[in-house]
Amino acid sequence: MATFPHNEILSLTAVQPTHELGESYGPDLRLADLLTPELADLELGYGSASGDLRLRTAIADRHGVRPDQVVVTVGGMHAIFLLAYLVADNGGQVVTTAPLFPLARNCYDTVGADVRVIPVSFDDGYRLTVDDVRAQLTPETGLVSLATPQNPSGVAIPAATLRQIADVMSDVCPEAYLMVDETYRTAAYGDDPIADTAVHLGPKVVSVASLSKCHGAAGLRIGWLISTDEDLVDRMVTAKFNTVVTSAPVTEALAVRVFEQEDEILGVRRRWLADALASTEEWVRANGELVEWVRPDAGALCCVRLKPEVPLDRFKAAAVELSVRMADGDWFGDESRVFRLGFGFLSPAELKAALEALTAALDKAVHASD
């Protein structure tokens, strides 16, 4: 019987602890931020299978493509699942990384793909090389699935590396698609530049993203897939129609409002994330005898590793006792002493308190037997 593998990341949708460091996005927008009187006149009928034209136009304008090259989906995971179903079901070969956002890996396993894994590690700063990818490619490869910045690390893949990967794929597996999950692309820090989208690297390069992480609108469940391959777009629209018919016109209309305010929303979040990153960096420095990290390139998340001096089981027990939640590295296929620390979700005061509680958990673990 077909099923989706269980993963403890599901616990993030359960009761929120006192100190939430497990989430991977910034603060939530509120409905009042988006409501206008005109929305009261919205008819609650079916929408368009490809997505509201105003919304597709807003997405297209930000990626330098046409609206008919955008398919709106029910969150980014819907896009990833449909793409996997179309190009990698029943033994189709997928090349991806580990660690990886577990829902993406679950998609590939559930559709019966032959998954070839490229390990990226904390010790190497989660950096991916062209040679890493080339070593896993075969003529049977149908999909290469990468994320930049990555989840859980927040480490980005340089544009030059993505370009080289696309070139290698055109030689080894020219019919394969390179899917680049760009969910955190616009979650830059302060005055850092926003990376260019990868969708222009070639006709077989596909971009997937959503409003969930960078814009604080996860509850709208609005994602998208962008492709310059007309046949793939047509198949995606058909697949979407056969799974959910359309997205919700209400949330699509609210998503248009998000894009109308995007400059302001992202501007505020750039400063928020930069300050939160600085607080996290200072916490790592202050606890450097017990933890280490890989500094992220963008996003509201990073990977922290416990040094051998910290008893892992005692630390986890102390964190639970102090109501501090992090995202275990095991969830992502990472080593057990690594955890994803989400620094963008909490207010500055709440983040300070959460990091202090995390310090207390470290101290309790190390000195429990004293």
Side-chain angles (χ1 to χ4, degrees):
M1 179 183 297
T3 188
F4 286 93
H6 179 77
N7 189 287
E8 284 301 317
I9 199 169
L10 181 66
S11 64
L12 292 180
T13 65
V15 177
Q16 188 171 313
T18 303
H19 305 294
E20 179 59 90
L21 293 172
E23 288 294 0
S24 58
Y25 56 94
D28 293 319
L29 290 177
R30 297 186 180 277
L31 186 58
D33 298 328
L34 305 177
L35 288 177
T36 63
E38 292 77 15
L39 286 172
D41 294 326
L42 183 67
E43 295 183 356
L44 299 182
Y46 286 109
S48 163
S50 55
D52 180 271
L53 178 58
R54 295 173 303 157
L55 179 54
R56 287 187 288 119
T57 299
I59 297 166
D61 288 346
R62 286 153 179 80
H63 291 80
V65 298
R66 303 191 309 267
D68 63 358
Q69 295 171 327
V70 177
V71 182
V72 177
T73 56
V74 185
M77 278 309 309
H78 186 212
I80 293 172
F81 177 78
L82 293 181
L83 182 63
Y85 178 79
L86 291 175
V87 306
D89 70 316
N90 294 323
Q93 191 178 103
V94 175
V95 174
T96 191
T97 61
L100 179 70
F101 183 54
L103 274 63
R105 175 59 193 260
N106 289 352
C107 277
Y108 307 137
D109 289 339
T110 298
V111 301
D114 170 20
V115 182
R116 297 171 64 93
V117 176
I118 305 165
V120 291
S121 71
F122 186 101
D123 288 327
D124 292 331
Y126 297 106
R127 298 296 172 185
L128 181 73
T129 70
V130 178
D131 289 340
D132 292 335
V133 178
R134 181 188 288 111
Q136 297 298 332
L137 296 178
T138 77
E140 285 71 47
T141 301
L143 178 67
V144 176
S145 170
L146 304 175
T148 180
Q150 300 162 351
N151 185 355
S153 70
V155 173
I157 303 172
T161 302
L162 286 173
R163 186 175 299 108
Q164 292 170 338
I165 290 170
D167 290 344
V168 168
M169 289 175 61
S170 68
D171 291 335
V172 178
C173 45
E175 298 304 311
Y177 290 97
L178 170 59
M179 187 207 77
V180 183
D181 182 344
E182 300 183 316
T183 297
Y184 293 101
R185 184 175 66 88
T186 56
Y189 307 133
D191 295 326
D192 288 357
I194 293 176
D196 292 335
T197 177
V199 75
H200 299 289
L201 295 179
K204 291 293 185 178
V205 180
V206 177
S207 171
V208 169
S210 74
L211 292 180
S212 297
K213 306 298 186 181
C214 301
H215 300 78
L220 294 183
R221 308 310 307 134
I222 291 292
W224 56 84
L225 177 141
I226 304 172
S227 174
T228 58
D229 183 322
E230 182 178 350
D231 177 66
L232 179 63
V233 170
D234 181 68
R235 293 168 67 200
M236 281 291 298
V237 172
T238 302
K240 176 189 171 184
F241 181 78
N242 278 275
T243 52
V244 297
V245 185
T246 75
S247 301
V250 172
T251 59
E252 288 187 328
L254 292 170
V256 171
R257 290 284 295 138
V258 172
F259 280 113
E260 289 173 349
Q261 302 177 57
E262 186 181 42
D263 289 345
E264 178 182 354
I265 290 170
L266 293 184
V268 169
R269 284 160 192 273
R270 277 171 164 269
R271 296 189 295 274
W272 176 288
L273 290 178
D275 290 344
L277 177 66
S279 296
T280 305
E281 188 166 19
E282 175 56 33
W283 177 82
V284 172
R285 186 180 302 113
N287 293 276
E289 293 184 357
L290 301 177
V291 301
E292 55 190 336
W293 77 329
V294 174
R295 192 183 192 279
D297 297 310
L301 72 176
C302 64
C303 282
V304 175
R305 183 167 66 181
L306 302 176
K307 291 187 175 180
E309 292 81 0
V310 182
L312 179 59
D313 291 342
R314 292 211 299 250
F315 170 73
K316 288 188 173 183
V320 170
E321 182 179 339
L322 294 167
S323 195
V324 184
R325 178 165 63 192
M326 299 146 299
D328 289 350
D330 295 338
W331 299 356
F332 307 90
D334 208 336
E335 56 183 293
S336 59
R337 300 185 69 83
V338 170
F339 58 88
R340 186 185 73 184
L341 190 153
F343 53 77
F345 181 71
L346 299 176
S347 70
E350 291 171 326
L351 177 60
K352 181 176 183 292
L355 292 175
E356 288 174 350
L358 200 56
T359 298
L362 288 169
D363 183 71
K364 192 174 184 68
V366 172
H367 299 106
S369 60
D370 292 352

